[in-house]
Amino acid sequence: MKSFRQSCEDMTELIISCWDENNPDDGLTFDERLAQKTANLEGMDRQVMNKVLCW
């Protein structure tokens, strides 16, 4: 099972990967990229991301 710390680090990297400057030519907004990348999260990753998105 993934540790809480590792999940936080992974979700931070996922969020960073959604920033517009990291995706200049895909035609998507940050929110659209984030929705795509978080749609299938499970377990600790899903819990961490839900807490971040509700903050």
Side-chain angles (χ1 to χ4, degrees), residues 1 6-7 9 12 14 17 27 29-33 35 40 42-43 45-46 49 52 54-55:
M1 184 170 162
Q6 185 61 53
S7 185
E9 290 173 0
T12 299
L14 186 143
S17 76
T29 66
F30 171 85
D31 291 334
E32 291 168 333
R33 280 185 221 101
N40 296 317
E42 296 179 348
D45 290 343
R46 184 168 195 76
M49 189 57 75
V52 168
C54 291
W55 178 51

Side-chain angles (χ1 to χ4, degrees), residues 6-22:
Q6 185 61 53
S7 185
C8 289
E9 290 173 0
D10 291 348
M11 294 304 95
T12 299
E13 289 299 317
L14 186 143
I15 291 169
I16 290 169
S17 76
C18 294
W19 289 344
D20 292 340
E21 58 266 20
N22 293 331

